[in-house]
Amino acid sequence: MNKIATKVTDQMDFFEGNDPVALAKQYGTPVYVYNERILRERCRDLKNLVTYPKFVVDYSAKANCNLAFLQIVKSEGLEVDAMSPGEIFMERKAGFAPEEIFYICNNVSAEEMQYAIDAGVHISVDSLSQLEQFGQIAPGHEVAVRFNPGVGAGHHEKVVTAGKKTKFGIEPKYIPEVKALLEKYDLKLIGINQHIGSLFMTGEAFVASIAALFEIAKQFPGLKFVDMGGGFGIPYKKEFDEAPLDLKELGEAIDKALYKFAEEYGEQITLRIEPGRYISAECSLILSEVHSVKHNHEKKFVGCDCGFNVLQRPIMYDSYHGIEVYRGSDVKSEQTETVTVVGNICESGDILAKDRELPEIRKGDILGILDAGAYGFTMASNYNNRLRPAEILIRENGEVVLIREREVLEDLLRHQIALKNV
Ligand code: LLP
């Protein structure tokens, strides 16, 4: 195998001795590849973030909800959040106990709330009207409430989930109304939570937001937990040596805030975070085959089989993903050139990397699209009636196992009902 540009995966020993070209051949492309060791390391990074004793990491399963993946997260002693009955269902299948699941819903029906109540999980609601609905269907029940601390952060305006421009959370000025509803329906407030947004690379906003959240918490004695949310970022521009989040510095700042809060609150209650991306992004890449290389006017296009049905982040948020090139033949190529890497979907926006400087890419080469484990497969679709890809896992001993089969054409017909007469 002639590896052409593999700085990132080599440094991480991502393939654990396996050949990406051989994996692409054996499992077909596109395929999501996960590395178990890296996933476990990321779980441990966050479990050890602080010294505060009652600290719980809830993995945010919306980032990646694969069953085998969840089983590994569970075995690392993390708990989970959920955003839908589907996520609760998967988490129960992966072995999480109901009390290890925190359902943080947004604008859901009474039936959905009832599903969560019946499942026995902790539930957070994030508006006065949803609190009223909860009280009506489950008077006397335990509940948590999501507040908007007024501080937001994130890599794109679409993923900032606190502050003035978002639908999420209850403004602190409505605390009297929250208290009135809790009393009206005899609800027991067990926790409060927030999530300021997704992907911060420095901790200021997060630390400011937890200070604001703790001020809110102090107005509610008797809480069992406060959940500070997720958003911990990862460096997507690794080939340019983008620095990772300084977990030591951030951990120390958070730790200080946690102890201070516990002292002021008068009790060391459970304090939680709910990271998705940090845990799941870096342990995965997509292998995709190049099927055409062409010039169109001034641009050189590299066309591969990873369309935005497979990875939506670039078209949705203009997100950057590093790309490596693997080649089966022993032809060496040191040259680089500027290319635009595109998928196979019938939209011009189907671009994985625009005007990117990459080693010379040829038809038949295999691309590695890096850091794809968070919001990758979970956002994949059947657009253009394409099949959602397989997922494989490189175990810690280097063995490769299939953890999701590639869809087949018949899957496209599932749940469709043909007319009897036309
Ligand atoms: N908790 C709540 C309530 C959330 O809404 C989210 C993410 C998280 C935790 C986890 O955030 P994380 O630690 O992963 O940043 N699809 C977008 C990201 C959307 C995030 C939605 N909420 C992307 O690909 O960048």
Side-chain angles (χ1 to χ4, degrees):
M1 178 197 35
N2 174 27
K3 300 188 296 177
I4 302 169
T6 57
K7 176 177 164 186
V8 177
T9 47
D10 275 357
Q11 262 173 19
M12 300 169 109
D13 193 15
F14 185 91
F15 292 106
E16 314 268 9
N18 292 282
D19 170 3
V21 176
L23 290 177
K25 199 164 182 172
Q26 183 177 351
Y27 293 97
T29 58
V31 59
Y32 276 86
V33 186
Y34 297 92
N35 178 302
E36 178 173 357
R37 173 182 48 83
I38 300 170
L39 169 56
R40 289 186 182 279
E41 280 169 12
R42 294 299 171 270
C43 292
R44 290 170 199 169
D45 289 348
L46 291 189
K47 271 201 84 177
N48 297 325
L49 184 66
V50 294
T51 65
Y52 182 83
K54 291 174 93 176
F55 179 68
V56 175
V57 181
D58 285 342
Y59 165 63
S60 191
K62 57 185 73 61
N64 193 313
C65 208
N66 176 289
L67 189 63
F69 189 102
L70 290 177
Q71 287 176 309
I72 296 170
V73 172
K74 162 85 184 138
S75 76
E76 286 295 327
L78 274 62
E79 300 188 6
V80 273
D81 80 5
M83 194 70 196
S84 66
E87 286 186 356
I88 295 174
F89 175 79
M90 289 302 293
E91 290 164 354
R92 294 287 289 123
K93 292 283 174 202
F96 288 94
E99 59 275 14
E100 293 173 327
I101 300 174
F102 188 25
Y103 177 56
I104 302 172
C105 56
N106 177 242
N107 306 332
V108 300
S109 65
E111 290 71 28
E112 249 190 70
M113 276 183 187
Q114 193 62 53
Y115 177 92
I117 292 165
D118 294 345
V121 304
H122 296 308
I123 301 168
S124 160
V125 295
D126 89 336
S127 65
L128 294 174
S129 70
Q130 290 265 286
L131 185 58
E132 177 106 49
Q133 174 176 298
F134 187 89
Q136 284 164 357
I137 61 175
H141 208 276
E142 293 184 338
V143 71
V145 168
R146 176 171 178 172
F147 283 97
N148 177 345
V151 184
H155 69 86
H156 189 284
E157 64 177 17
K158 288 179 185 164
V159 301
V160 175
T161 48
K164 293 203 167 70
K165 294 185 185 163
T166 171
K167 65 175 177 167
F168 296 102
I170 298 178
E171 274 184 75
K173 71 176 184 196
Y174 294 117
I175 287 175
E177 285 82 350
V178 169
K179 287 187 169 170
L181 283 170
L182 293 173
E183 205 180 310
K184 178 174 173 192
Y185 294 105
D186 191 26
L187 296 169
K188 169 146 181 46
L189 188 73
I190 51 164
I192 65 166
N193 57 300
Q194 68 170 19
H195 172 66
I196 61 169
S198 194
L199 204 161
F200 53 78
M201 292 306 285
T202 57
E204 297 83 12
F206 186 79
V207 172
S209 75
I210 62 176
L213 187 68
F214 291 157
E215 285 309 308
I216 300 169
K218 284 189 223 157
Q219 302 186 47
F220 294 100
L223 295 175
K224 288 188 186 161
F225 64 84
V226 174
D227 177 348
M228 302 172 274
F232 299 76
I234 63 119
Y236 280 98
K237 294 190 173 164
K238 291 188 175 59
E239 64 269 44
F240 301 113
D241 299 316
E242 182 185 356
L245 191 59
D246 187 340
L247 279 189
K248 190 169 176 295
E249 188 184 84
L250 179 58
E252 280 167 10
I254 295 175
D255 219 12
K256 222 167 110 189
L258 304 192
Y259 282 109
K260 180 169 173 277
F261 167 67
E263 203 183 312
E264 289 166 2
Y265 197 69
E267 198 188 337
Q268 282 200 345
I269 61 169
T270 299
L271 297 171
R272 327 171 77 98
I273 52 171
E274 49 190 46
R277 186 189 317 271
Y278 185 88
I279 304 275
S280 59
E282 292 178 309
C283 65
S284 174
L285 54 75
I286 299 166
L287 292 177
S288 171
E289 183 169 346
V290 176
H291 293 298
S292 98
V293 177
K294 75 189 239 186
H295 284 93
N296 230 1
H297 300 281
E298 294 94 63
K299 272 194 194 300
K300 185 164 182 183
F301 287 94
V302 169
C304 68
D305 53 19
C306 183
F308 72 79
N309 61 309
V310 176
L311 182 69
Q312 229 189 99
R313 301 193 67 255
I315 192 169
M316 185 94 157
Y317 317 107
D318 285 325
S319 297
Y320 184 99
H321 285 265
I323 294 182
E324 290 188 344
V325 186
Y326 317 116
R327 181 168 296 161
S329 79
D330 56 3
V331 185
K332 221 175 170 66
S333 172
E334 301 294 349
Q335 254 176 299
T336 65
E337 56 184 357
T338 306
V339 293
T340 291
V341 183
V342 295
N344 50 9
I345 294 293
C346 64
E347 292 197 29
S348 292
D350 184 27
I351 296 173
L352 274 170
K354 202 172 190 171
D355 299 330
R356 187 81 61 89
E357 195 67 23
L358 287 170
E360 187 196 1
I361 297 175
R362 302 178 193 169
K363 185 172 179 336
D365 284 351
I366 300 298
L367 304 180
I369 297 140
L370 306 180
D371 299 318
Y375 308 104
F377 194 97
T378 48
M379 292 175 71
S381 78
N382 288 121
Y383 186 43
N384 279 192
N385 266 6
R386 292 210 162 273
L387 306 176
R388 285 185 302 167
E391 295 179 291
I392 60 177
L393 175 73
I394 304 175
R395 309 279 336 236
E396 288 180 288
N397 62 4
E399 184 198 351
V400 180
V401 293
L402 185 66
I403 55 172
R404 186 194 301 265
E405 292 173 349
R406 182 178 308 284
E407 288 180 344
V408 293
L409 290 174
E410 277 66 30
D411 290 325
L412 299 172
L413 280 172
R414 280 190 77 200
H415 308 301
Q416 296 217 41
I417 301 165
L419 293 175
K420 294 216 166 53
N421 42 40
V422 249

